[in-house]
Structure formats: structure tokens, C-alpha cells
């Protein structure tokens, strides 16, 4: 048609890191979680990988699996200063029971907290800024010496997680998601099979547990993460938004 302009889409450029992540996902398609963890910890990223755990409702599964492969794996726990007391006690109990020898407590920078959240209620005024201060920036700093990190994300959590692969590359780091395809029934069965202790708040209706100001109980039939930032459009803390 005369005068019309045809716009051509520029092909997306795939980096070498993204290609490697796709290759790894294809290579380990169908592999079980232990195989994926062994590959990540011992073959693909030896000495260059950490596991990030919230020590939340389902965390014991991934931590138990990782402890079988490498009990000295660096386990990064973001101590936001806003955790439930039950989470802190659960972290100590679970770490000891599983024989994890390298759990690292990462806190936000004191000076930044004093400047950005002097009254401790930033979560109420701007939850995104609070997560950035207490989680995103501290994790970025903690991961600066690593090439990859292990997450416990699962597709059944919904949202952007439904299409997660076992390996991905996002901005700065490779991410390994060993139990991404696990279902709630499989998680429950693993807890029972290995007699893993539950987070104390699970019995009180908390299937997903974060900081106390932004975590609420969930009613039967509700989405697992519906108690996180309830009543807001926010669904993620932000640590998975970048590398």
C-alpha cells in the first residue's frame, strides 16, 4: 500500500550466558533435584555458587537436598530485621539438624537503614523501597563474589514463576532452580519421608513466609502467596527482578 511503513522487528540478541543457561536446562531436562544440584555445585559452578534461603515454609526441602551434595555450600540468609521470631529460631534448628556448616546472615547496611528507614516503618509507606533496602541491595552485595545462586522457586507458586526453567541467566548471575517442577504434594511427601521439621507458622495458616509486617495467613483455597503483601499489587520482594 502506498505510503505505508513496514516496521521490522529486531531479533532479540541472546548472550553467551543465556545460551549456556538454555543448554544446561536442555541437558538436565528430566533430571531429579539431586542431579541438578550435583551438576551445579560440583561440575558447572564449583566454588562459584551459593544457595539463598529464607528458611520459610518449604525451605527445608531444598536445604536437605543441598546438604546431601555439599553441606558446606554457602547458604545466604537475608536478615532483614523484620523476620518473625519463629523464622530465626527455625533457621538455627534446621541448620543444625541438616549439618549445614556455612550459613551466612546478611544484614542491610546500618547507615542506609538509618537514612532511609529511621522510624522502621518504610514497609508501610513504600514496601518496594523497604525490600530494596533490606533484601535486594544486601543480596546484590553478598552475591558479588559468585557466578550463580540456587533458589527454591517452584512453578506452582504462579505468576512469573509458572514458566521457570531449571537453569536461567538473569542480568548478572546464573540461577539454578532444582525443584522448580515440584508440586505441593511432592513437597509434603518429601517432608514426611525425611521427617523434616515444619516452620512453626505453617500450622497457623502461613504457607509462604516473609517479613512479619507484610505476611498474613492464607485461607483454604487461596493462592499460596496470597498472604504476601496482601491487598497490594506487589507479589515479589525484588530479588528475582534482576541478576
Amino acid at each position: 500500500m502506498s505510503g505505508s511503513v513496514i516496521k521490522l522487528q529486531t531479533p532479540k540478541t541472546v548472550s553467551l550466558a543465556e545460551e549456556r543457561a538454555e543448554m544446561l536446562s536442555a541437558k538436565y531436562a528430566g533430571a531429579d533435584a539431586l542431579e541438578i544440584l550435583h551438576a551445579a555445585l560440583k561440575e558447572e559452578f564449583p566454588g562459584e555458587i551459593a544457595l539463598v534461603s529464607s528458611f520459610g515454609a518449604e525451605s527445608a526441602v531444598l536445604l536437605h537436598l543441598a546438604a546431601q551434595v555439599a553441606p558446606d555450600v554457602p547458604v545466604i540468609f537475608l536478615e532483614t530485621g523484620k523476620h518473625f521470631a519463629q523464622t530465626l529460631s527455625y533457621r538455627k534448628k534446621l541448620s543444625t539438624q541438616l549439618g549445614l556448616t556455612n550459613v551466612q546472615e546478611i544484614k542491610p547496611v546500618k547507615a542506609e537503614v538509618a537514612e532511609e528507614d529511621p522510624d522502621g516503618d518504610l514497609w508501610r509507606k513504600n514496601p518496594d523501597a523497604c525490600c530494596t533496602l533490606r533484601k535486594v541491595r544486601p543480596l546484590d552485595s553478598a552475591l558479588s563474589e559468585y557466578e550463580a545462586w540456587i533458589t527454591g522457586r517452584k512453578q506452582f507458586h504462579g505468576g512469573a514463576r509458572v514458566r521457570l526453567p531449571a537453569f536461567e541467566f538473569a542480568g548478572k548471575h546464573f540461577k539454578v532452580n532444582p525443584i522448580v517442577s515440584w508440586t505441593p504434594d511432592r513437597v509434603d511427601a518429601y517432608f514426611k519421608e525425611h521427617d523434616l521439621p515444619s516452620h512453626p507458622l505453617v500450622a497457623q495458616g502461613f504457607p509462604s513466609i516473609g517479613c512479619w509486617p507484610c505476611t498474613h495467613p492464607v485461607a483454604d483455597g487461596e493462592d499460596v502467596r496470597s498472604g504476601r503483601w496482601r491487598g497490594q499489587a506487589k507479589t515479589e520482594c525484588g530479588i528475582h527482578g534482576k541478576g
Side-chain angles (χ1 to χ4, degrees), residues 140-205:
D140 281 348
S141 178
L143 289 175
S144 63
E145 59 186 282
Y146 298 104
E147 184 180 9
W149 55 294
I150 302 165
T151 92
R153 290 177 299 167
K154 305 166 197 68
Q155 293 170 342
F156 78 78
H157 286 166
R161 304 184 181 203
V162 296
R163 298 182 183 84
L164 278 177
F167 292 84
E168 59 182 318
F169 183 79
K172 300 176 184 177
H173 299 89
F174 289 92
K175 291 181 186 178
V176 184
N177 310 305
I179 54 176
V180 65
S181 62
W182 283 36
T183 63
D185 287 344
R186 189 173 181 186
V187 171
D188 290 343
Y190 195 90
F191 264 89
K192 294 175 182 177
E193 179 184 356
H194 298 281
D195 195 25
L196 297 176
S198 295
H199 190 296
L201 291 178
V202 170
Q204 298 180 38

Side-chain angles (χ1 to χ4, degrees), residues 44-58:
E44 301 297 341
F45 311 105
E48 297 292 334
I49 186 168
L51 188 155
V52 178
S53 179
S54 65
F55 285 83
E58 299 165 351

